[in-house]
Amino acid sequence: VVLVTQAAQALALLHLALAGGGFTAGFDSLRAGDLERDLTTLASPELEGRDTPSLGLERAARHIDERFRAAGLIAAPDSAQVYKEVGGRELPGAEPTAGPGTQVEGTYRRPWQRNLPTPDAASSLALVQGETRTAFVLGQDFVPVAGMEGQASGELVFAGYGIRAKSEKYDDLDGLKLRGKLALIVEGEPLHARAFEGPAVTESAALGRKIEALAQAGAAGVLVVRRAAPAEPEHAGEAPPTPAAPAEPAEPTLAFRHTWADWVGAPGDRPPKESLPVLELSPRAGTALLGEDVLELARRIDRSVRPVRSKQGARQVELVGRTRRESLAIDNVVGWVRGSELPDEFVVLGAHYDHIGVDARGRIGCGADDNASGTSALLEIAEGFASAGPRRSVYFCAFSGEEDGLLGSQAFCARLPVPREKIVAMVNLDMIGRGDAAEVAVLGIHQTPAFEKLLQRAKAQRSSGVQKIVMRQGEELFQRSDHYSFHQIGVPTLFFFEGLPIERNKDYHTWRDTLDLVDQDKVLRTTRLVYSTLWLLSNDDERPPRPRG
Ligand SMILES: [Zn+2]
């Protein structure tokens, strides 16, 4: 017996040496502190709601790159080719000849293409004082607004927040001569404890409504100072994550909002009926144009909730706002861990890292729950699997464009890095930080009934702290996240979600989805349960059957 035990131990040790630290090593490496750090970074207002695409999304992608690299994940076999394909984008820090499974730093990006409005270099902004013409810099001082294009010149008039609100007895435009002039306004609405519904942001702040009022008053063009712009020049150009990466081009300090063309906002916010040339400005550019501190003027309005006028004399300004449609490369961030015994079979873990951006009232959708929570779990589990050494290979995918219709995962499934029949299963994490503390909902059982037993085994394998797994409910959600893209190509999928029905989460897809409302302990518990589930999928002898439906 002793001998046998020793032999078994020796075998187990040998297995550990060959295959990594095993289930326990990875499980024990899942840390609340790591999850919280990633969540805090990804849900930061600095990332401006991670719209697809946006500067904030790129910042999130860099964070994911950095974590994948630190965990030692392998780049997707064709990522180098993909980089060559999209042309004009240099492969950072690596030769573009890497073969399958070659670990290449900086190539976790697997871009897909999306056609969207983007700033045209013909856009311009200048202050004209006698013979002197001071030009401002596109992307740094100002950006055009898609759908609100054209050129205009004239005298600059400060028009407060550009709000006419009868219900508040407040009118920024009252008595202003705006005909043929350019209105300079501040984003949002007066910040006051009670007026304009206090901390809530009312429809008076909607940009479309303001433009409509200014057009009716005869303005020739509008300049909007972006008050919520979080990127001050000092903080804008954070260093790239590793010294190996080449110098990034100087980042614009004022991000262009590509998807504003659709005027995404609160329900009921409409695009303006009349069009005017509109530019958005940094506060610094607004102040330079007006010759007076624009944000200080806004603060005076905030205190009094009365329109405030600028004391500056007439100043001449010329503006041109132009956008053009362009096919933009948008990144999924993808890395993998090689399996020790079945390296040519793959399990996929996915979470979308994008969110809804900034709405037309200037509110940032931080998306702490949706889906910084799932992305932080993805990163932590990836790190755990890299040290655990599963039998099958595991792909870790941070998808973009989910909020716009599963675009990133659709693109991934349309051009898989491995043969489809080699994909054993896909597990998706989307919103795991709110709802009932004791439970987690899992969809996909109806399509693959064998998963019910798998989840029970995962729950029993090691205590995650999750008390109840809700199964066979919420089928209406099944088509609404990235696992569905995999289901459509015949891959068995599981979708981990915080709880049903989704309507219980009143902050879903609003600016109220912030970090302070996320249950960090629940994120940890769910992360552990998903880790155990993924471990079984990547180590069981049998593959799950093809899904139904
Ligand atoms: Zn989501």
Side-chain angles (χ1 to χ4, degrees):
V1 173
V2 172
L3 273 178
V4 170
T5 306
Q6 278 176 345
Q9 272 179 348
L11 262 178
L13 282 172
L14 183 66
H15 186 80
L16 280 186
L18 286 173
F23 171 84
T24 306
F27 190 97
D28 290 342
S29 78
L30 305 174
R31 282 187 198 94
D34 289 351
L35 290 164
E36 191 176 346
R37 208 164 32 245
D38 289 329
L39 245 166
T40 306
T41 301
L42 294 166
S44 154
E46 291 287 311
L47 270 56
E48 292 200 282
R50 309 186 303 279
D51 197 10
T52 302
S54 66
L55 186 56
L57 189 78
E58 168 57 23
R59 287 189 174 141
R62 284 186 201 175
H63 179 76
I64 297 164
D65 269 344
E66 190 179 5
R67 289 279 270 124
F68 278 3
R69 197 173 299 121
L73 260 55
I74 307 168
D78 60 350
S79 55
Q81 285 168 9
V82 172
Y83 266 71
K84 278 203 295 188
E85 260 176 38
V86 296
R89 283 191 55 169
E90 292 297 313
L91 184 67
E95 292 296 315
T97 50
T102 310
Q103 187 172 344
V104 182
E105 282 187 351
T107 57
Y108 298 113
R109 310 293 185 93
R110 264 185 118 250
W112 50 279
Q113 301 286 317
R114 187 178 189 190
N115 194 272
L116 281 173
T118 192
D120 190 282
S123 303
S124 67
L125 174 64
L127 174 66
V128 184
Q129 295 165 294
E131 295 294 289
T132 317
R133 195 171 183 281
T134 311
F136 291 79
V137 180
L138 173 64
Q140 183 179 307
D141 301 318
F142 74 95
V143 287
V145 175
M148 294 284 122
E149 302 176 34
Q151 71 182 76
S153 60
E155 195 182 300
L156 193 66
V157 178
F158 178 70
Y161 284 98
I163 290 174
R164 315 195 93 150
K166 275 200 193 112
S167 56
E168 298 280 338
K169 297 189 174 62
Y170 178 93
D171 189 352
D172 275 316
L173 276 47
D174 185 36
L176 278 187
K177 293 189 173 63
L178 281 163
R179 193 148 299 279
K181 298 182 181 171
L182 305 185
L184 182 93
I185 61 170
V186 178
E187 177 184 65
E189 63 185 9
L191 304 176
H192 187 271
R194 289 174 307 280
F196 289 92
E197 296 180 21
V201 180
T202 73
E203 61 183 9
S204 288
L207 184 56
R209 182 177 270 255
K210 296 181 181 191
I211 291 169
E212 214 163 273
L214 289 163
Q216 276 162 14
V222 182
L223 298 159
V224 187
V225 172
R226 210 185 269 176
R227 189 177 203 182
E232 283 303 310
E234 293 78 25
H235 307 294
E238 283 157 33
T242 62
E248 293 286 332
E251 279 181 359
T253 54
L254 200 70
F256 176 74
R257 292 171 180 170
H258 297 268
T259 57
W260 267 30
D262 306 326
W263 293 91
V264 178
D269 287 357
R270 297 169 285 111
K273 284 194 201 95
E274 291 177 67
S275 175
L276 281 178
V278 181
L279 300 182
E280 289 186 278
L281 308 181
S282 70
R284 210 170 45 153
T287 296
L289 281 173
L290 192 66
E292 195 172 350
D293 187 335
V294 172
L295 293 186
E296 180 50 36
L297 289 172
R299 283 190 286 270
R300 279 173 51 198
I301 299 175
D302 295 346
R303 287 191 291 270
S304 64
V305 199
R306 292 241 164 77
V308 164
R309 306 291 176 226
S310 166
K311 290 189 193 64
Q312 288 295 321
R315 292 174 148 227
Q316 288 293 318
V317 171
E318 297 172 5
L319 73 87
V320 178
R322 296 251 185 272
T323 64
R324 65 196 150 87
R325 304 287 297 196
E326 198 182 340
S327 184
L328 301 169
I330 298 163
D331 292 317
N332 290 326
V333 190
V334 176
W336 64 289
V337 168
R338 185 193 303 278
S340 59
E341 291 172 36
L342 299 164
D344 295 331
E345 291 186 12
F346 302 87
V347 180
V348 177
L349 181 67
H352 75 86
Y353 74 102
D354 67 302
H355 195 51
I356 56 173
V358 182
D359 74 12
R361 298 184 188 181
R363 294 171 295 196
I364 296 170
C366 288
D369 182 34
D370 186 8
N371 184 29
S373 66
T375 308
S376 69
L378 172 89
L379 296 174
E380 194 61 4
I381 294 170
E383 190 182 55
F385 264 70
S387 67
R391 288 176 70 203
R392 289 192 178 88
S393 296
V394 183
Y395 260 84
F396 297 92
C397 303
F399 293 115
S400 49
E402 192 272 350
E403 303 289 11
D404 301 305
L406 320 184
L407 300 179
S409 57
Q410 288 283 329
F412 184 88
C413 289
R415 210 195 54 236
L416 292 166
V418 299
R420 190 205 60 76
E421 58 279 7
K422 295 290 184 189
I423 300 179
V424 168
M426 190 273 181
V427 177
N428 183 31
L429 296 160
D430 191 359
M431 301 172 67
I432 59 166
R434 302 276 298 264
D436 192 312
E439 67 182 44
V440 170
V442 185
L443 278 76
I445 319 299
H446 175 72
Q447 292 75 12
T448 312
F451 279 158
E452 178 161 4
K453 198 159 183 200
L454 182 93
L455 284 165
Q456 283 159 358
R457 285 171 59 216
K459 187 167 178 283
Q461 187 168 16
R462 177 87 182 264
S463 174
S464 63
V466 173
Q467 286 165 31
K468 186 178 171 201
I469 304 175
V470 177
M471 293 186 251
R472 298 179 189 277
Q473 287 181 39
E475 282 310 309
E476 71 280 2
L477 279 187
F478 189 71
Q479 300 187 7
R480 285 175 54 181
S481 191
D482 290 319
H483 58 280
Y484 188 65
S485 301
F486 290 80
H487 176 78
Q488 284 178 307
I489 59 167
V491 173
T493 62
L494 280 170
F495 169 31
F496 284 76
F497 181 72
E498 60 203 14
L500 299 162
I502 193 169
E503 288 73 23
R504 258 171 49 194
N505 183 341
K506 298 284 179 225
D507 304 321
Y508 168 69
H509 279 201
T510 74
W511 58 98
R512 294 188 304 271
D513 180 2
T514 50
L515 186 65
D516 52 311
L517 298 177
V518 170
D519 179 346
Q520 307 263 1
D521 293 332
K522 178 163 176 170
V523 174
L524 176 63
R525 290 193 289 272
T526 308
T527 301
R528 286 172 168 164
L529 180 63
V530 173
Y531 173 92
S532 296
T533 308
L534 200 67
W535 182 262
L536 294 178
L537 286 168
S538 55
N539 286 273
D540 277 356
D541 289 330
E542 294 229 355
R543 292 175 55 155
R546 272 182 77 102
R548 307 197 295 215

